[in-house]
Each structure stands twice: as C-alpha cells, then as structure tokens.
Amino acid sequence: MAGGAWLSLQLFINPDAVNDANKILPQAVQLKETNPEQQPQTLKKIEDSLRAQGQILGESLALETDTKNLITKSLVIPVLKRQSNCQTDCQEIVELRV
C-alpha cells in the first residue's frame, strides 16, 4: 500500500516518473511512457520547430482564460502551410495544436 501511494505521488508530481517506474514493474503491467514532444512548450520553441518543418505558426486563440486575473490558461494554435499551386499568398491550416 505504501508503494502504491509513493508511485501515485511521484506520478502526480512528475509525469516522467512513469519511465522510471517501468523498470521495476513486470512487462505485463508496464505503464505507457510519456513522450517529451507532448510536454508543454513555449511559443518560441513551437515556432522554431515549425519553421524547421516549413510550416508557419498562425495567430493563437484563447480557449480558457482565468476571469479573476485575465491570464490565458489554454490556447488553440493553427499551424499553416503555404500552398504551392496558388496565384496569391495562400496558406492552409494543416493542424491545430492545443
């Protein structure tokens, strides 16, 4: 029981602890490892990674805002890509990121 409480606390504090917990668990009950690419990133990091892939970061839209201090809690960010067969400056949304 103490081991379960300890593991729960570790996973609550640090989701990457799953990777360490899998070393002691039997293979049949191992937990899904977290992917570092799915961890929250700064807008600058996202923009740099998209630019390297030839994509463009669109204008972010607030999904949830704290009404007391007007801090944005979550965003939707469109990822755009330029169309090659277009007469004007055309961009299409290829993905939405939260």
Side-chain angles (χ1 to χ4, degrees):
M1 198 160 148
W6 174 82
L7 179 61
S8 298
L9 181 64
Q10 291 298 315
L11 293 175
F12 181 73
I13 294 171
N14 178 14
D16 291 331
V18 171
N19 302 335
D20 296 331
N22 279 336
K23 296 176 186 172
I24 59 173
L25 294 173
Q27 189 170 3
V29 293
Q30 286 189 352
L31 304 169
K32 182 180 175 186
E33 292 189 18
T34 59
N35 186 350
E37 292 180 7
Q38 294 177 350
Q39 297 297 322
Q41 298 176 345
T42 64
L43 287 175
K44 179 69 174 149
K45 267 183 125 172
I46 294 170
E47 186 175 16
D48 291 344
S49 103
L50 290 175
R51 189 176 294 125
Q53 298 172 18
Q55 297 176 335
I56 303 162
L57 185 67
E59 184 178 334
S60 59
L61 305 167
L63 271 183
E64 181 182 6
T65 304
D66 187 355
T67 55
K68 290 183 181 178
N69 51 12
L70 300 176
I71 294 176
T72 302
K73 291 185 173 183
S74 59
L75 300 169
V76 171
I77 304 170
V79 177
L80 309 169
K81 188 172 185 177
R82 295 193 195 284
Q83 292 181 342
S84 58
N85 300 332
C86 190
Q87 299 294 334
T88 61
D89 186 24
C90 299
Q91 298 173 345
E92 64 180 345
I93 296 176
V94 293
E95 143 183 14
L96 293 174
R97 294 192 181 186
V98 180

